[in-house]
Each structure stands twice: as C-alpha cells, then as structure tokens.
Amino acid sequence: MECELSQLKVGFVGAGNMAYAVAEGLLKSGDISADNVTVSAPSDRNLPRFQALGARVSHSNTEVACASRLLFIAVKPHLVPTVLGQISPHVTRQHVVVSVAAGVTLATLEELLPDGVGVVRLMPNLPCVLQEGALLLARGSGAGPGVESLLKRLLAPCGLVEAGPEGWIDAHTGMSGSGVAFVYLFAEALADGGVKMGIPAALAQRIAAQTLLGAGLMLRDCGKPASVLRAEVCTPGGTTIHGLHALEKGGVRAAVMSAVEAATERARELGRK
C-alpha cells in the first residue's frame, strides 16, 4: 500500500471484541488517524465504543468497503460468503482484505473476491483487548512482503505479531485462540485447589490469576524454555515435584495436547465447510 500511513483508510466489517481490539491497537500505533477508520455492524449494540475511539460507524458493509483501502473482515465464519458477496463489487486491487474468521481459507477468500486483490488471514486472540495478544498472519498470493511488514507494524500494539504459512493458522487457532480458555480452566482448577486447602475463594482466585500472570511473564521475558523454568522451581523431594507427579498421573500433558489437536481440527473443519 503506497499511500502515507496517516492517510490510510481502514475499515472493519464487524464490530465484535476482536475488531475492537485490533482497531484499538491500530490507533495506539500512532500511524492511523481515528477519523480514517470506519466500522460497520447490523445493529448499534457494539458501535458506540468505536465512536468513543473517534472512528466513523455505519450499518452498511458496502460503505465501509468503498471508504477503505485496508479492510478487516471480522464476522463469524459462516457469514463470510454473504459479506464478501455484498462488498466484492466495490473491492479493487488497491485494497488489502484481512480476514479474522476462523477456518476460512485464503483460497476461499480469493475465490470470493476479484482477481488480484491482496488477501491476508489474521488470527488474533482475546488478550488483544489488553494489548497482550498473540497474532499470526498468512499472506495470499496477491499480498506482497510489504503488506506483511505494514501489518506487523500497525498491529504491534496488540501484542506479539508473527507471520507464517497458512498451514500454521489453524494450529495457532487451536493453541492460542482456544488456548486462552484452556488457561482459564486451569486457573479455575488452581483456585479450587486453594479453596480445598482452606484459602477463601475470592483470595484463591486472585492468587491463581497472579500466579499465571507472573509465570507467563517469566516464560516470555526470561528467554528460557518452559522445561527449564519448571525444573528451576523443583527441589529434590520438595512440594513442587510431588504436585507435578500428581498432574502427570492425571494425564494433564496429554489432555492439553489433545485439546489443541481437537480445536485445530475443528478450525480445519470450518474451513472445509
């Protein structure tokens, strides 16, 4: 995209949490002006928060497509064909279309859009709303390396932004998109364990949250593999190794791997549909 970033017109078809998180990140980058952002949704329910960011809002997907050069498709996967059918006559080779719909392949997106349009699949996750997300993008044949560099720059305030082949997108969905819920389940169980051992529930929940936050920051920032950090917590005959043994007997490692596999396969199934 050759225009100055300060003049880049950005659109969002869909106004859910992921669209809001990405929009907020784009604006935090400082490169995009809020009055160059337009958002559409069928109802007013989610639009006021975009207005609070300074963005323009509309009920017309076509209006957003016409007003934008960088266009995010942030609707449920089963709605993508309908939405792209609406906007396709108004999309040109000057557009870059970024889909955040789980399972919808680049081939499907390119088939539903005019020839030569740059298409990107982007999979964010829920912590993007706190600018602590993990995002993976994959480019279609019409989107060059410059598009990848631009998106990495604009989305950096959302969290970690990486690029890779499309085959990684569904696995990222299973590991990081769905993985957020897996972590919440573990946090809930951790707090329940504290309650069982006599800690009040509210306090146990706060301690569990802080434990996960601290462990995650160490894993991200210390530069050591999880296996090394885990070993550093263990002392011979201590409390941690006894607890880890109980987790291994419960099959937690295999269960988590199976959960990622199941979520990934579901994302692939959505793509085939």
Side-chain angles (χ1 to χ4, degrees):
M1 310 192 78
E2 299 179 356
C3 65
E4 293 292 330
L5 286 184
S6 61
Q7 301 301 315
L8 179 61
K9 306 291 187 180
V10 180
F12 289 85
V13 176
N17 287 334
M18 286 299 99
Y20 181 76
V22 171
E24 192 171 32
L26 288 176
L27 295 178
K28 284 183 180 292
S29 74
D31 293 316
I32 303 297
S33 172
D35 58 9
N36 283 336
V37 176
T38 310
V39 184
S40 65
S43 73
D44 290 327
R45 185 180 63 178
N46 290 327
L47 293 178
R49 58 181 177 172
F50 288 91
Q51 290 176 301
L53 294 176
R56 305 173 188 272
V57 299
S58 171
H59 295 305
S60 169
N61 297 336
T62 298
E63 180 181 340
V64 172
C66 292
S68 307
R69 293 275 301 282
L70 177 60
L71 181 60
F72 289 86
I73 307 300
V75 299
K76 299 295 184 183
H78 70 279
L79 296 176
V80 169
T82 300
V83 166
L84 294 188
Q86 292 171 350
I87 68 172
S88 182
H90 309 281
V91 173
T92 72
R93 293 189 179 188
Q94 301 301 312
H95 285 82
V96 170
V97 177
V98 182
S99 169
V100 299
V104 182
T105 66
L106 289 171
T108 297
L109 295 167
E110 290 173 342
E111 181 181 343
L112 294 169
L113 290 166
D115 291 342
V117 173
V119 174
V120 175
R121 283 185 69 185
L122 174 70
M123 186 47 58
N125 66 353
L126 188 58
C128 287
V129 301
L130 299 178
Q131 282 72 60
E132 291 291 352
L135 304 89
L136 183 67
L137 62 90
R139 294 184 285 116
S141 58
V147 170
E148 178 180 312
S149 299
L150 173 66
L151 288 172
K152 283 185 172 182
R153 172 176 172 176
L154 293 178
L155 295 171
C158 294
L160 174 71
V161 186
E162 299 287 355
E166 185 179 17
W168 293 359
I169 292 287
D170 291 335
H172 175 77
T173 301
M175 183 182 72
S176 187
S178 300
V180 172
F182 307 159
V183 172
Y184 292 153
L185 179 63
F186 182 82
E188 185 180 2
L190 194 64
D192 284 346
V195 172
K196 182 179 180 181
M197 293 297 102
I199 299 177
L203 177 58
Q205 290 169 10
R206 293 198 299 272
I207 292 173
Q210 188 62 40
T211 300
L212 292 177
L213 174 63
L217 289 174
M218 289 191 69
L219 185 59
R220 185 188 69 181
D221 298 339
C222 288
K224 298 178 182 179
S227 59
V228 172
L229 291 172
R230 173 178 53 77
E232 289 177 352
V233 182
C234 293
T235 55
T239 62
T240 304
I241 193 63
H242 279 73
L244 286 170
H245 186 205
L247 288 173
E248 293 289 6
K249 285 194 294 185
V252 66
R253 187 188 302 264
V256 172
M257 293 174 66
S258 293
V260 172
E261 181 181 17
T264 300
E265 290 301 329
R266 176 55 177 163
R268 290 173 178 164
E269 181 183 347
L270 290 173
R272 289 192 293 269
K273 288 182 178 180

